[in-house]
Every structure is written in structure tokens, then in C-alpha cells.
Amino acid sequence: MQRRTFIAGAGAATAALGARSAWAKPEHKWKMVTTWPKNFPGLGTGAENLAKLIGEMSGGRIQVKVYGAGELVPAFEIFDAVSRGTAEMGHGSAYYWKGKSEIAQIFSTVPFGLTAQEMNGWMYHGGGLELWTELYAGFGLVPAPAGNTGVQMGGWFNKEINSVADLQGLKMRIPGLGGEVLKRAGGTPVNLPGGELFTALQSGAIDATEWVGPYNDLAFGLYKAAKYYYYPGWHEPGTILEAMINKDVYESLPADLQSIVMNACKVVNQDMLAEYTARNPAALETLVSQHDVELRKFPDGVLAKLRTLSNEVVAELAGQDAFSQKTFASYQKFLKQAKAWSGISELTYLQARDRLDQQTDDQA
Ligand code: CA
């Protein structure tokens, strides 16, 4: 509703401008490099939407051209490219940059950590974004949340996972902290950009992969290369996609354009989650009913082991340096409070809705 109202407003403003004159000549021509295939549903289109919004909201004063992974720089080189100013902005996710900073992963997602709604609470009203801004300043970047996938799926496997022993020797594409957890469970985590997943899985270069959720996984055709589709995505309970802007470029903007860039990111951050919420159900239905995908829930024993290992991995993040300690403490404090509130709000409500639906179905 908010977005529709906003777009209607922007459209009217554009029409009014158009009636008087053409859009302003671009004062800033930006390149946005991304870790996604160009126009990939949700992620790539989110980057495109962000570019379009910045253009519309600024009346054409900032013009942003989006480059898919590999078009200007490879997927995992966008951080450096924006940092050194080869591109003015980028769109990716912070856990891809653990080679630069281990604690950066906390600004993406944490296994068994905050959900999308809670993550946004921490970012905008719980100190998360201030900490992220402080970290990225050291790399000459300004970050902003610019999309969220919600709870992801556990991934695609060609064998059933019935116990922790089934994870032994498993070569799986799984980024970030979740990858480290899998490693400690006896598996071999691999990080690959999205565009390389299908081929890697089909050729047997990897045994299993996670990607995002039904909407995105259907688009990549991952069901053609694996039989079992596991849930829940314990490793990515509400992943934030990031926008990063070269700090010098951002600071050279007048205040109104800075506000436009940040608020465009905020719009896309909410809109992407809404899109996933709307598209995942139908995509899951298609996967199961048209492509015979077998849905499986991770056994409780496997989740319990992964949870124990996750606690170890996440706690180690705090030990890196003073900044990591401060950030970890902020996240943990927020998580504790969020769990207490979610436990009596979202969780209790969803459980009641689910249970009462089942009772109604039984009676019917
Ligand atoms: Ca994922």
C-alpha cells in the first residue's frame, strides 16, 4: 500500500515535471555493480528497482545503471570495486565479505538469529545500522539495508538427511556463518555466486546447495538437479541484502540527494520482502505439484546439533577485536529481547493459527 501510494506520488510528480520540462540533466551518473545475474527475480530486480527509484525520486539528478554479476566485475569483487570507486554503488549481501571482516556477516544473517522483521528492528531502531556504518567507513563505503529474503529454505540434496552423520563429507554451497557451521558438522562448505549453482550441482561438483527459497530456486531450475528440498533455512532466517555506496561519492552529495538514496534503499528493503512473501507460496506449489520435488523437514536431532555448533561459531565472532565485541553484544542483546517479545506475539499467534486451522480441517 505504502509503495503503491509512493509510486503513484512519484508518477504524478514525474508527470508534473514532464508537463513543464524534461527531467533534469543527470548531475550524477552512477554505475551499480551487483552479485546477482542481471534481472534475477527478487535480487536482481530489487537492484533494478533501487536504481529506478533513485532516478525517479531525484527527478533524474542521479542516474544509476545496473550491471549484473560479471558484466563489469565478477560477483565477489563488487566490494573492492565500490571501495576504490570503479563503481559508485553496489548491491550484494554482507556475508560475502567475511574475507574483509568476519563480523560483517552479522549484518547479513546469523544462523538461528533474528528474523527479517526483527533484523529491521535492530537495523533501524536498535543500533545495527550505526555499527554497520562504522565498520564499512573503514573500507570507504556507506551501507544500507536494501532487501530481505525472509526465512530461506534449507537447500537441495540428492540424499535424505536423517542424522548428523549424513552431513559428513557433504560438499555444499552455503555461504557465511552457516558454511562454518556445516564445516564443524563434518561437511565441506563452498561459496559460489548464484549464477554458478545449477551447473555445479548438476555436474556433481557439489553434492548439495542452498540458494534462497521457492521463488528463486524455481527460477534457477534447481529441482532438475536435486530431489529433496529441505526446510527450514536455519542458517538464513532473514537475510539482509545490502546497498553500498562509495563514501566519498555519498559525502559529496547534497543533503536532499543523500536522503533520497537512503530512503530509496528503505523502500526496496521493504518491497523485496513483500515480493518474496507474495511469490514463494505459488512457487513452492509449482515445485511440489508440477516438478515432483520432495519436501523434507530437517530432523530435530540434526537441527539441535546445528544449533549447538551455531552458538559456538557465532560466539567466536565476538573475539576478533573491540569492534566485533561491541557489535556482537548489541546483536545478542537485541536477539534476547526480540525472542521474548516474538515468543508471545508472532510465535504464539502463528502456532495458534496453525493449530486451529488444523482442528477446523479435521472437523470438516
Ligand atoms: Ca541463501
Side-chain angles (χ1 to χ4, degrees), residues 25-350:
K25 218 173 148 194
E27 294 160 21
H28 309 272
K29 284 192 171 184
W30 286 7
K31 295 184 276 293
M32 185 200 296
V33 288
T34 68
T35 58
W36 330 113
K38 197 164 170 65
N39 278 318
F40 187 75
L43 305 167
T45 53
E48 290 286 347
N49 287 341
L50 178 56
K52 188 164 165 273
L53 274 174
I54 292 173
E56 286 177 0
M57 292 166 79
S58 69
R61 288 159 68 199
I62 306 179
Q63 190 183 79
V64 186
K65 184 169 164 47
V66 180
Y67 293 84
E71 285 190 329
L72 200 61
V73 293
F76 293 153
E77 285 175 28
I78 72 161
F79 188 93
D80 285 336
V82 180
S83 179
R84 68 174 176 256
T86 303
E88 288 76 10
M89 78 182 290
H91 193 259
S93 193
Y95 56 25
Y96 292 142
W97 322 124
K98 68 173 184 175
K100 305 285 180 193
S101 161
E102 284 283 330
I103 196 71
Q105 300 174 93
I106 211 167
F107 302 113
S108 191
T109 190
V110 171
F112 295 99
L114 297 170
T115 64
Q117 186 173 331
E118 293 164 347
M119 196 66 175
N120 284 334
W122 183 54
M123 278 287 155
Y124 297 126
H125 297 283
L129 185 53
E130 279 94 343
L131 288 161
W132 194 7
T133 302
E134 186 181 336
L135 177 70
Y136 272 30
F139 297 96
L141 297 168
V142 177
N148 199 306
T149 63
V151 181
Q152 299 200 0
M153 284 292 281
W156 296 86
F157 299 78
N158 272 309
K159 64 170 190 179
E160 289 191 58
I161 304 298
N162 295 316
S163 70
V164 178
D166 292 320
L167 300 174
Q168 295 293 316
L170 189 80
K171 197 170 176 189
M172 178 174 181
R173 183 273 181 185
I174 172 170
L177 297 164
E180 181 58 29
V181 173
L182 177 73
K183 192 169 161 186
R184 293 187 193 191
T188 307
V190 182
N191 196 13
L192 291 171
E196 295 173 24
L197 296 190
F198 179 76
T199 310
L201 188 60
Q202 201 180 39
S203 70
I206 53 175
D207 304 316
T209 187
E210 67 78 57
W211 175 224
V212 181
Y215 179 43
N216 281 164
D217 297 6
L218 174 66
F220 265 161
L222 296 174
Y223 61 89
K224 293 179 210 160
K227 185 176 175 186
Y228 300 109
Y229 196 20
Y230 271 88
Y231 67 96
W234 57 273
H235 62 303
E236 298 200 49
T239 306
I240 285 201
L241 291 317
E242 66 181 356
M244 52 173 99
I245 302 118
N246 178 281
K247 194 165 180 285
D248 291 340
V249 169
Y250 181 78
E251 285 173 355
S252 72
L253 292 176
D256 63 333
L257 290 183
Q258 286 184 348
S259 172
I260 281 167
V261 169
M262 282 301 147
N263 281 295
C265 289
K266 222 167 182 174
V267 169
V268 170
N269 193 45
Q270 287 297 339
D271 185 63
M272 193 188 291
L273 182 62
E275 187 182 2
Y276 278 110
T277 305
R279 305 273 181 246
N280 276 330
L284 184 62
E285 169 71 19
T286 301
L287 286 168
V288 173
S289 63
Q290 291 181 31
H291 300 300
D292 299 323
V293 166
E294 294 202 26
L295 269 184
R296 292 279 190 279
K297 184 169 181 278
F298 284 122
D300 285 346
V302 171
L303 287 174
K305 179 68 178 173
L306 293 170
R307 169 67 190 251
T308 304
L309 294 172
S310 294
N311 286 346
E312 276 175 35
V313 168
V314 175
E316 284 172 21
L317 279 180
Q320 304 274 325
D321 50 48
F323 177 81
S324 302
Q325 173 66 49
K326 177 172 74 168
T327 304
F328 177 79
S330 167
Y331 185 93
Q332 288 299 114
K333 186 178 169 209
F334 196 91
L335 178 62
K336 192 174 172 212
Q337 291 170 347
K339 279 201 279 200
W341 169 236
S342 294
I344 62 166
S345 56
E346 304 290 318
L347 181 65
T348 311
Y349 168 69
L350 289 174

